[in-house]
Amino acid sequence: MSEVATVVVGWGITFVILATYSTWVVLRGKGIGQELGIGEVEPDVEQDTGATTDS
Amino acid sequence: MLLVARKDLRVERRAKIALGQVAPLALLILMVFAFALDANTSLLERGAGGLYWLAVLYGGTLLIQRSFDVETDDGNMDALRMSAIGMPSLFLGKALALFVQITVLELILGPGILLLYNVGVVDWALLFAAAIAGTLAFSVCGVLWGVMSAGLRVRATLLPLLLVPVLAPVLLAGSRAFETALGVRAGAGWTWAGLMFVIAAVHTALGLGAFGFLLEEG
Amino acid sequence: MLGANSGAKMTATPVTRVLGVSALAATALMAVLGLIVSPPDVIQGEAVRMLYVHVPSIWIAYGGFALTSISSVLFLRRSKRRADQGRHYDRLAGSAAEVGVVFTAITLITGMLWGKVTWGTYWQWDARLTTTVLLFVTYLGYLALRRLPAEPTVRSRRAAVMALISFVNVPIVHYSVDWWRTLHQKASLSVGRRPEITGEMYWTLLYSTLAVTILATWLIIHRYRVIRLEELRDEEGLEALIASRLNKDVGGH
């Protein structure tokens, strides 16, 4: 593979992996959110104390 | 201490049953290595150190598995947890039992490679030191990671997955030390043996600290 | 229930929306800088551009795994006082680890491609590559441990302990493999891939690291949320199961 081809493939694979993973994470979040019927979920890292306080 | 010893004996008695299967299996593995390498004598001679430790890894993993299967199958885990045996004793007791079992395994593998792979021992002291260090490391890591995957349904595949990356440096060190001891390659055999002792020590410390956490259920 | 909108079901907050847009913009700029603006290397030519994805990735991976370990310590300390406490640390540990694994994979793939074009082989048994693979498998194991069918507290605790042990063990592995390869290095072998990084290359690398960090942060936050949602779902599922059993008992007699 030529230098340019390698760079294109390398960067390409990187972006594909990141895009796919990002999409999966976001869609999964929305999916489960829908299941639970939750609207705006704001589980702040700071506020969480572990016990479910809502609903 | 008495409790630890008694626990060892109990495990050992069971171990005799396990060793009856594991030891021959390990010997078989040595044979199979030869088949895989087309009985290439020079390859086998050069690789004897590494192949030995591969066989120990295989047999050792089975023994570790068994060491914890026994506990969970008999429902011993709860009894142990609630007993007066301190976590440190429990950890060291199991490690000691495992050490004994793996040593017996190696006592068969050792002559095995000497005979089958046609290697001679140049440095007996190094050989034994390396063997002990490696076995120590295997035992301690085995107990620690065995507990991590104990009592769970997929432990059979999980244990090796967790254990091998951890034992990789031990495998590395053991193979290199043995190569020097078997006169196959001149090298820093004693440093490798030392590394294995360090790994064993570190994991003993970690194990003593973490064992309590790991056995607490909820 | 938190404001059940029948319309858009979002899992975003203002913070992550800003972060997400920034990540997108930053990575786009990174591509422009890395692929076009920055100069080719004197020796490697265009191949040097792999540097800008390969190196930031492994740095972020290390950062992620460090975050996992720190989170695990905090989790164990919190959960010691009360079994239910500190779960957010556990979630953070899991989230950071998964993102770390993704970036380690990217590191390996880009590393192998880069090696193919600079060394001529996809693989060399050099210390860095070997330890990176071991690191990858170690945290794959960690993720596997997190997915086990067991009580959540048991599972979290074991995962946390593993993270801590790995934190100690990874340097040991690194040192061992490194020493092994230095001993066995033949004189001609293993040409270092890192070019002399000066001027524009240096800034491009730095900037790329920043861009990847923003992206990784956004990913970790979102992944954290998914974990939390999964926990909620499991809890609700359990409650529903218990409730239906109770109803059956009442109704059936």
Side-chain angles (χ1 to χ4, degrees):
Chain A
M1 258 199 305
S2 73
E3 287 171 12
V4 175
T6 310
V7 170
V8 169
V9 171
W11 278 69
I13 293 180
T14 304
F15 276 87
V16 165
I17 291 176
L18 290 174
T20 310
Y21 183 64
S22 306
T23 314
W24 175 78
V25 172
V26 173
L27 286 182
R28 191 168 163 77
K30 291 193 178 170
I32 304 182
Q34 277 186 352
E35 253 182 70
L36 296 171
I38 293 175
E40 291 271 290
V41 181
E42 299 187 29
D44 240 48
V45 179
E46 258 68 0
Q47 286 169 15
D48 256 321
T49 52
T52 320
T53 51
D54 53 88
S55 132
Chain B
M1 272 306 285
L2 262 175
L3 289 165
V4 172
R6 215 179 293 149
K7 179 176 179 16
D8 288 354
L9 283 170
R10 196 160 42 98
V11 180
E12 255 184 86
R13 231 174 283 134
R14 291 198 199 115
K16 295 292 193 308
I17 307 169
L19 277 170
Q21 297 173 343
V22 174
L25 186 57
L27 207 52
L28 257 178
I29 299 291
L30 288 182
M31 307 268 327
V32 169
F33 284 151
F35 300 154
L37 295 175
D38 200 25
N40 183 327
T41 37
S42 67
L43 258 182
L44 288 174
E45 194 185 319
R46 285 214 316 272
L51 295 175
Y52 173 91
W53 286 102
L54 277 179
V56 171
L57 175 66
Y58 185 71
T61 306
L62 293 175
L63 288 170
I64 296 167
Q65 201 86 275
R66 188 178 157 73
S67 160
F68 283 94
D69 282 355
V70 160
E71 303 292 350
T72 48
D73 286 345
D74 292 354
N76 276 349
M77 293 291 257
D78 293 313
L80 285 168
R81 227 176 284 126
M82 291 189 271
S83 75
I85 303 176
M87 287 303 161
S89 305
L90 195 53
F91 176 68
L92 292 175
K94 283 198 83 66
L96 189 55
L98 200 53
F99 181 81
V100 171
Q101 291 174 59
I102 300 180
T103 303
V104 175
L105 173 68
E106 291 187 48
L107 286 173
I108 297 174
L109 284 176
I113 59 162
L114 292 181
L115 286 170
L116 294 172
Y117 299 162
N118 199 26
V119 282
V121 182
V122 159
D123 192 341
W124 283 99
L126 176 60
L127 193 74
F128 277 112
I132 292 173
T135 312
L136 221 54
F138 262 84
S139 312
V140 177
C141 293
V143 175
L144 188 50
W145 293 90
V147 158
M148 205 92 69
S149 50
L152 303 168
R153 260 174 282 141
V154 289
R155 66 186 113 95
T157 41
L158 185 67
L159 178 63
L161 178 61
L162 298 182
L163 196 58
V164 176
V166 173
L167 288 176
V170 178
L171 225 60
L172 200 54
S175 307
R176 299 293 85 73
F178 262 46
E179 276 168 11
T180 310
L182 295 173
V184 166
R185 187 211 301 259
W190 283 101
T191 321
W192 285 117
L195 179 63
M196 288 194 285
F197 274 116
V198 168
I199 293 175
V202 169
H203 280 266
T204 307
L206 287 171
L208 289 172
F211 215 61
F213 273 114
L214 290 172
L215 280 185
E216 276 168 40
E217 301 280 325
Chain C
M1 300 261 218
L2 296 169
N5 290 335
S6 54
K9 311 286 187 199
M10 306 278 242
T11 53
T13 60
V15 172
T16 51
R17 277 197 209 110
V18 168
L19 213 53
V21 171
S22 312
L24 213 53
T27 9
L29 183 55
M30 167 183 153
V32 169
L33 287 177
L35 293 172
I36 303 168
V37 173
S38 70
D41 182 54
V42 175
I43 303 167
Q44 288 186 34
E46 303 293 335
V48 77
R49 303 190 188 281
M50 296 303 282
L51 177 76
Y52 308 122
V53 281
H54 177 76
V55 171
S57 290
I58 189 59
W59 285 350
I60 287 301
Y62 286 149
F65 296 142
L67 187 57
T68 301
S69 301
I70 296 171
S71 249
S72 296
V73 176
L74 294 172
F75 169 73
L76 286 173
R77 276 179 49 202
R78 275 294 209 102
S79 76
K80 231 184 161 184
R81 282 180 233 152
R82 239 187 68 194
D84 209 28
Q85 287 290 336
R87 272 163 62 184
H88 49 296
Y89 289 124
D90 174 56
R91 289 179 211 133
L92 185 58
S95 169
E98 193 176 273
V99 173
V101 164
V102 170
F103 278 100
T104 311
I106 291 174
T107 306
L108 287 170
I109 295 173
T110 50
M112 289 198 291
L113 288 170
W114 200 8
K116 180 64 179 161
V117 80
T118 47
W119 302 321
T121 45
Y122 284 110
W123 187 259
Q124 269 202 19
W125 289 99
D126 79 322
R128 216 179 293 149
L129 267 177
T130 311
T131 47
T132 309
V133 175
L134 285 174
L135 184 72
F136 181 61
V137 178
T138 301
Y139 280 94
L140 273 182
Y142 172 82
L143 292 179
L145 184 62
R146 287 191 69 91
R147 281 202 204 97
L148 283 190
E151 254 194 70
T153 22
V154 171
R155 197 171 47 199
S156 305
R157 219 172 249 149
R158 290 189 186 189
V161 171
M162 175 174 176
L164 286 182
I165 300 177
S166 302
F167 186 74
V168 174
N169 200 53
V170 164
I172 294 178
V173 173
H174 196 106
Y175 170 76
S176 310
V177 175
D178 198 48
W179 195 54
W180 172 49
R181 291 331 282 162
T182 20
L183 283 183
H184 292 244
Q185 218 76 290
K186 295 183 189 111
S188 56
L189 202 59
S190 205
V191 179
R193 255 185 323 212
R194 291 279 188 92
E196 212 180 302
I197 304 172
T198 53
E200 285 163 317
M201 291 208 287
Y202 177 75
W203 292 110
T204 310
L205 180 61
L206 227 53
Y207 176 77
S208 300
T209 310
L210 176 66
V212 171
T213 308
I214 298 175
L215 178 61
T217 311
W218 180 80
L219 279 171
I220 292 179
I221 295 178
H222 266 279
R223 190 63 184 91
Y224 174 96
R225 289 184 184 159
V226 171
I227 295 179
R228 181 160 203 292
L229 288 172
E230 284 169 347
E231 284 178 9
L232 274 175
R233 182 188 56 183
D234 292 340
E235 280 168 23
E236 279 203 11
L238 198 59
E239 281 169 26
L241 196 62
I242 295 173
S244 73
R245 287 234 182 97
L246 287 171
N247 285 337
K248 272 201 205 121
D249 284 341
V250 171
H253 294 288

